Amino acid sequence: MKKNLKKICSIVLFIICFGSAWIFGFSQGANWGWKANLPSPFEKIINKETPIEISDADMGIFWDTWKVVLEKYVGRHDLDAQKIILGATRGIINALKDPYSEFLDSEQTENLSQELSGEFYGVGMEIGRRDGFLAIIAPLPGTPAEKAGLKANDKIIKIDETEAIDLSPFEAAKLIRGPEGTKVTLIIYRSSWDETKKIELIRKKISIPSVRWEKIDNNIVYLKIYNFNQPLTFNFYKTALEIAFAKPQGLIIDLRNNPGGYLESVVDISGWFLEKGNIILKEDFGNDEVKIFRVRIGQALLKDIPTVILINEGTASASEILAGALRDNRGIKLIGEKSFGKGSVQELVSLKDNNSVKITISRWLTPNETIIEGNGLVPDIEVENEEEFGTFSKIDLEKDKQLQTAVAELQKLLITN
């Protein structure tokens, strides 16, 4: 009896073990077979080659994450692989933590091209990131932004219903721009205010001027450079000749609220103020690579005219390059308020399908190697205006203290000379 019971137990135990092993094997085989018949996460991906001279890094985490999404994400059947790639590409640029480097899709690339060509639709202000916030660099002349009283360094908290704290400048510009005649509402904070304010703006066609000039006070020429966009080089050729033929005794260059633009434009017009061979700026590309930009064309028709320059917190980028070059080479005094401090150079690199990358390729130094990035240019004569003047406003020598100071300083130079 005991032998039969023992034999029965052995048989039952064998059946249990065999059954468990079979079930386990079947489930694992089925699971493996199911996965084996899944489409490869990468079988339709083209251009898999790694970049040339890439530093040591493990791309495994990217591919593993991609595989998890394709195998487990509940909406995996409706995924657009190209959108995922664009998102990942944008993440590469965002990881640089550089406020001026951005990945631009085809629509954003077109918007940038329109802006630098001197014409677009919106409210008319240059925006960037400062101290972790989206901020106005400068309102553009004669635009809804300027007429509404927006100023350099105003922080944009909200655009319509969208919080702006984490938006890139191009994401914000996309929300602010729109069809002519439509309304956009901004929530703005200014350091001198106790609370934020709601500003409603009506979009219009924005045509950006590049330069203008006129005579003021005893044959002094006032020269206003609004920005360094594409039309400036051509327009300045005509302007410089007109000023030279006018034979002024002094020259005031107004770079207030000039947000910058193309590096090539400032290099081109520097030759009207400096001699051929003078250093305009030094570009530091990192890794001990420094490129020196010198005046290439030596017209220098305006180099002997006693000159002063007006700057303020809206003076940025290419306008800081010009101001720094003229101060370092000719000892020209800067008058007004400390400039914005955007001392880096961006290159727009075209990619496939009209996408692009705006990437910081270098940081620039003035000829005397003054570092501008994050610091700005400190004026030789610091003057604040008691009231704000629009960039495109008519000259008001009675109220514009910065301009008054510039005229007075020129008159001292004329007496000395």
Side-chain angles (χ1 to χ4, degrees):
M1 183 71 178
K2 288 183 179 181
K3 288 183 178 181
N4 290 337
L5 182 60
K6 186 176 181 180
K7 186 176 181 180
I8 292 171
C9 289
S10 297
I11 293 172
V12 171
L13 181 62
F14 172 78
I15 292 172
I16 292 174
C17 291
F18 177 80
S20 298
W22 185 87
I23 292 171
F24 176 79
F26 178 82
S27 63
Q28 290 299 307
N31 186 50
W32 178 86
W34 174 74
K35 288 186 176 181
N37 287 298
L38 276 176
S40 167
F42 320 122
E43 66 182 12
K44 294 183 179 181
I45 302 301
I46 61 175
N47 294 320
K48 307 174 188 178
E49 298 84 359
T50 57
I52 298 173
E53 297 181 357
I54 190 170
S55 59
D56 292 339
D58 184 1
M59 281 290 291
I61 186 65
F62 175 82
W63 298 118
D64 289 346
T65 302
W66 185 297
K67 188 173 183 179
V68 168
V69 170
L70 294 187
E71 289 182 354
K72 296 184 178 297
Y73 176 55
V74 65
R76 58 189 177 274
H77 299 297
D78 299 319
L79 291 177
D80 184 328
Q82 193 60 40
K83 286 185 178 180
I84 295 176
I85 291 173
L86 289 177
T89 305
R90 197 181 305 276
I92 292 173
I93 302 300
N94 291 342
L96 300 177
K97 301 297 182 182
D98 178 70
Y100 305 115
S101 294
E102 295 183 83
F103 171 79
L104 311 177
D105 60 27
S106 57
E107 181 179 355
Q108 293 169 324
T109 300
E110 177 63 23
N111 288 339
L112 178 61
S113 298
Q114 289 178 2
E115 182 174 335
L116 290 175
S117 69
E119 194 173 273
F120 61 92
Y121 292 89
V123 301
M125 59 188 184
E126 181 79 5
I127 55 179
R129 294 200 67 84
R130 166 162 278 189
D131 300 328
F133 288 89
L134 194 69
I136 297 173
I137 295 178
L140 302 179
T143 62
E146 184 192 52
K147 292 176 181 178
L150 294 175
K151 300 179 182 179
N153 279 332
D154 281 352
K155 294 179 174 61
I156 303 173
I157 307 302
K158 201 171 184 181
I159 303 170
D160 287 330
E161 300 302 317
T162 302
E163 300 290 338
I165 184 68
D166 293 323
L167 294 179
S168 71
F170 269 95
E171 289 170 334
K174 184 176 180 180
L175 293 174
I176 292 172
R177 292 176 181 176
E180 187 172 12
T182 58
K183 181 178 70 174
V184 60
T185 301
L186 305 179
I187 303 299
I188 300 293
Y189 176 75
R190 186 176 298 166
S191 59
S192 61
W193 294 347
D194 293 330
E195 57 185 16
T196 61
K197 293 185 180 181
K198 179 190 291 187
I199 308 292
E200 293 185 348
L201 301 164
I202 303 298
R203 300 179 177 99
K204 63 174 289 188
K205 185 175 183 178
I206 307 298
S207 297
I208 311 173
S210 56
V211 64
R212 73 179 177 92
W213 74 279
E214 62 182 281
K215 281 186 179 181
I216 60 172
D217 197 61
N218 296 326
N219 205 26
I220 290 175
V221 162
Y222 170 85
L223 171 65
K224 176 69 176 179
I225 303 176
Y226 292 106
N227 54 62
F228 291 86
N229 58 15
Q230 287 176 340
L232 178 63
T233 298
F234 175 79
N235 292 340
F236 199 83
Y237 182 90
K238 177 175 178 289
T239 298
L241 290 177
E242 290 174 350
I243 293 174
F245 287 135
K247 297 181 179 179
Q249 293 181 342
L251 175 64
I252 297 171
I253 303 174
D254 191 348
L255 297 176
R256 292 177 295 182
N257 292 334
N258 183 324
Y262 284 115
L263 175 62
E264 292 81 1
S265 293
V266 69
V267 170
D268 287 340
I269 75 164
S270 293
W272 294 98
F273 302 100
L274 301 173
E275 294 181 352
K276 187 175 181 179
N278 282 164
I279 295 175
I280 302 169
L281 77 152
K282 298 178 181 179
E283 264 193 290
D284 181 3
F285 292 87
N287 299 320
D288 297 322
E289 181 186 354
V290 177
K291 181 178 180 180
I292 297 177
F293 283 80
R294 298 179 184 272
V295 175
R296 299 171 296 196
I297 304 173
Q299 309 101 330
L301 286 181
L302 308 179
K303 75 176 181 64
D304 294 324
I305 303 174
T307 302
V308 296
I309 298 174
L310 289 171
I311 64 172
N312 67 0
E313 59 187 1
T315 303
S317 188
S319 56
E320 291 175 293
I321 292 175
L322 180 63
L326 296 188
R327 177 160 69 175
D328 286 1
N329 282 286
R330 291 179 49 190
I332 290 176
K333 289 185 178 180
L334 309 184
I335 298 170
E337 300 165 87
K338 187 172 75 171
S339 63
F340 189 85
K342 184 183 179 294
S344 58
V345 179
Q346 284 70 46
E347 179 181 345
L348 189 65
V349 181
S350 297
L351 305 175
K352 295 179 63 176
D353 301 324
N354 203 33
N355 299 305
S356 62
V357 169
K358 182 162 72 77
I359 188 79
T360 297
I361 60 171
S362 61
R363 292 182 174 85
W364 58 266
L365 311 173
T366 68
N368 291 345
E369 300 193 352
T370 299
I371 299 174
I372 302 305
E373 179 65 31
N375 299 317
L377 294 171
V378 178
D380 301 283
I381 303 174
E382 190 164 355
V383 182
E384 291 186 17
N385 278 331
E386 293 178 355
E387 60 181 273
E388 291 294 324
F389 294 92
T391 306
F392 206 56
S393 301
K394 291 183 178 180
I395 293 173
D396 191 339
L397 275 171
E398 293 184 1
K399 296 181 180 180
D400 191 338
K401 288 191 174 182
Q402 293 170 342
L403 185 56
Q404 288 175 12
T405 304
V407 171
E409 190 62 28
L410 270 181
Q411 289 173 341
K412 290 179 187 178
L413 290 175
L414 295 176
I415 292 173
T416 302
N417 293 335

